[in-house]
Amino acid sequence: MRAISGLWRWRHNPLCRPTDLAEGWVGLVALVLVVLAAPVAGVLAGGATEDVLQRSVREQHENRHQVRATVMRELAPSPLSVDPEGSVGGEPRTRVLARWTASDGTEHSGPVSTRLKDPRPDDRFPLWTDAGGRITARPMDTVTATTHAVLAGFGVTLLTAVLIEGVRRLVVRRMVHHRYVRLDRAWERVGPDWGRTGTGS
């Protein structure tokens, strides 16, 4: 920002070096890109993610079905059991042996995790299955898909802004390095004669 504000001060300053103006213009271009290009990249990425996720939501709702399962008996807890609902830190789940009828009419049975606190035989609970009757996770809803898309867009916006700032810093660093190289060369030419009275006369 100091380089950008310096553009105004340096316009008619006789001490202004070309590299000072170039550094200011680099900062100005970087600022414009951060303000304009980064949000556009975020919107495009968020929109693309939204399309993919909403398509996935439709496919999941078409291929996954909620059925009513019936408890046959309670099973001992297993540390290796996988919760198809993916509940982490939620309500404790109980393993039961259950039977259910798939959407195609076939009968299935097997160990299932359920939120029933005190499951008893013939208790019923909802269960998500695929078209073949295999247990699956609950389909994603549209709100969750939209939330993920917004987070993806925000992440891309932030990443783009950081990338632009990184490029700006790299360019300015190279410019400063070349400035010091030229200064060293100039000092090598006049340094040996610095302060000598009558030098060159």
Side-chain angles (χ1 to χ4, degrees):
M1 292 301 295
R2 289 194 301 270
I4 296 172
S5 63
L7 282 174
W8 182 261
R9 297 196 313 268
W10 293 334
R11 288 183 310 157
H12 304 295
N13 190 335
L15 298 179
C16 175
R17 299 165 296 187
T19 54
D20 294 328
L21 282 176
E23 185 176 333
W25 281 111
V26 168
L28 180 60
V29 170
L31 178 62
V32 170
L33 289 176
V34 167
V35 172
L36 298 178
V40 169
V43 169
L44 293 177
T49 304
E50 172 83 1
D51 292 341
V52 171
L53 290 178
Q54 292 298 344
R55 191 179 313 119
S56 177
V57 166
R58 289 191 296 271
E59 291 175 357
Q60 289 181 11
H61 279 275
E62 290 173 0
N63 299 323
R64 299 181 186 184
H65 310 278
Q66 190 178 48
V67 299
R68 300 291 294 179
T70 303
V71 175
M72 299 171 66
R73 63 183 173 86
E74 185 175 355
L75 299 175
S78 171
L80 299 179
S81 61
V82 178
D83 178 8
E85 296 293 330
S87 63
V88 178
E91 299 178 7
R93 299 179 71 87
T94 307
R95 291 182 70 242
V96 299
L97 182 64
R99 65 177 182 274
W100 64 92
T101 302
S103 58
D104 60 1
T106 57
E107 295 288 337
H108 298 268
S109 63
V112 179
S113 294
T114 175
R115 288 192 175 92
L116 295 174
K117 294 181 180 178
D118 186 21
R120 299 182 181 277
D122 296 328
D123 284 351
R124 295 173 67 81
F125 60 95
L127 184 67
W128 285 96
T129 64
D130 60 15
R134 293 179 293 273
I135 300 173
T136 186
R138 180 194 306 271
M140 184 186 301
D141 55 48
T142 56
V143 175
T144 302
T146 300
T147 302
H148 284 34
V150 170
L151 291 176
F154 179 76
V156 169
T157 301
L158 184 61
L159 183 62
T160 303
V162 170
L163 181 62
I164 292 171
E165 174 61 13
V167 171
R168 184 198 70 81
R169 287 174 180 262
L170 181 61
V171 170
V172 170
R173 183 175 179 180
R174 296 288 297 175
M175 292 171 62
V176 170
H177 173 73
H178 287 304
R179 182 187 303 162
Y180 285 141
V181 169
R182 287 194 299 272
L183 182 63
D184 288 340
R185 290 173 181 170
W187 180 253
E188 287 176 359
R189 289 194 300 268
V190 301
D193 296 332
W194 184 261
R196 294 182 182 177
T197 305
T199 300
S201 58

